Amino acid sequence: HIVSHIRASAMLAVVRGVRLGHALAGHSASCLCARGVRLGRALTGHSTSRAMAGLPRAVLSLGLSVLSASAFYESTAERAQCDGAAHHELEPLLGVWLQIKPACESLCPFIEGLGMPGARYVCGIVDAVQVTLRISLADGDMCEIVDKTIFGRNSTRVQLGGGEVEAATRGGRKRYMLSGWRSEQNGVGIKCRLFQRGDGWETLMERRVMPDGRLEESNTLRRPGLPDVVVRRYFSKVGPLTEDSF
């Protein structure tokens, strides 16, 4: 009787697991989580050592397989719920943003602090160029920020909350360590540790939506033995995030 009962429960759990697997393609995170919990509990009442002691090996194997599948589907549902929550919290930040040039500070102190050749000439051009941003979130906390000017597009992809990864400038001449995080104001931050310059060199770029609806971009340059350089720029939202967004 115990064997038959557990076998029936196992088959029910498998059916629920299959249904949950199909649901992953089109159901909400909360629905997935609920199904995952139900699946994980399907065999809970039959997993005592006394009941398992007299079961045939084939039934035990089936039970263990189902329990493993239950754990997988439950963890998948939990990840889906977390991903959905992260996307929801950052929703105001996602979309296309146009620079509000009169409200922006000059990038000259930042560029000069990096010691770029011809910094005064370069920063004058940079300040005159209109910038458009596209901010998106995919694959969990994988954030992509694309900035577009008359000179072209530049894309930065970073895992928020992940570890450092080595990256290179567009020309490939200089390398740095890239990492990202979610700020307390439901924004995103990107750090570039300039290890080729030595210890203590890094740039921080944080973007967040202000109460008035504008996006604030804070650019910070940190150097050993010198005060931080901070430059802020502001953007207004001009469109939602779509597949056609530049």
Side-chain angles (χ1 to χ4, degrees), residues 13 64 80 104 144 157 166 193:
L64 291 174
C104 296
E144 181 182 33
R157 288 175 56 87
E166 188 169 339
R193 184 166 60 83

Side-chain angles (χ1 to χ4, degrees), residues 76-99:
T76 302
E78 290 174 352
R79 286 197 300 271
Q81 186 178 40
C82 291
D83 292 347
H87 192 282
H88 176 72
E89 291 178 358
L90 294 177
E91 189 70 35
L93 190 68
L94 309 182
V96 180
W97 301 83
L98 183 66
Q99 183 182 8

Side-chain angles (χ1 to χ4, degrees), residues 154 165-178:
N154 182 61
V165 295
E166 188 169 339
T169 56
R170 183 182 298 182
R173 296 178 54 191
K174 296 182 179 180
R175 307 194 67 82
Y176 56 93
M177 300 303 295
L178 177 69

Side-chain angles (χ1 to χ4, degrees), residues 146-168:
V146 180
D147 57 271
K148 179 183 177 183
T149 69
I150 59 173
F151 299 112
R153 301 166 63 231
N154 182 61
S155 174
T156 301
R157 288 175 56 87
V158 61
Q159 183 73 39
L160 303 180
E164 287 187 326
V165 295
E166 188 169 339

Side-chain angles (χ1 to χ4, degrees), residues 55-78:
L55 297 180
R57 180 176 299 178
V59 176
L60 287 175
S61 178
L62 175 61
L64 291 174
S65 298
V66 171
L67 286 174
S68 297
S70 301
F72 168 76
Y73 285 119
E74 185 171 354
S75 63
T76 302
E78 290 174 352

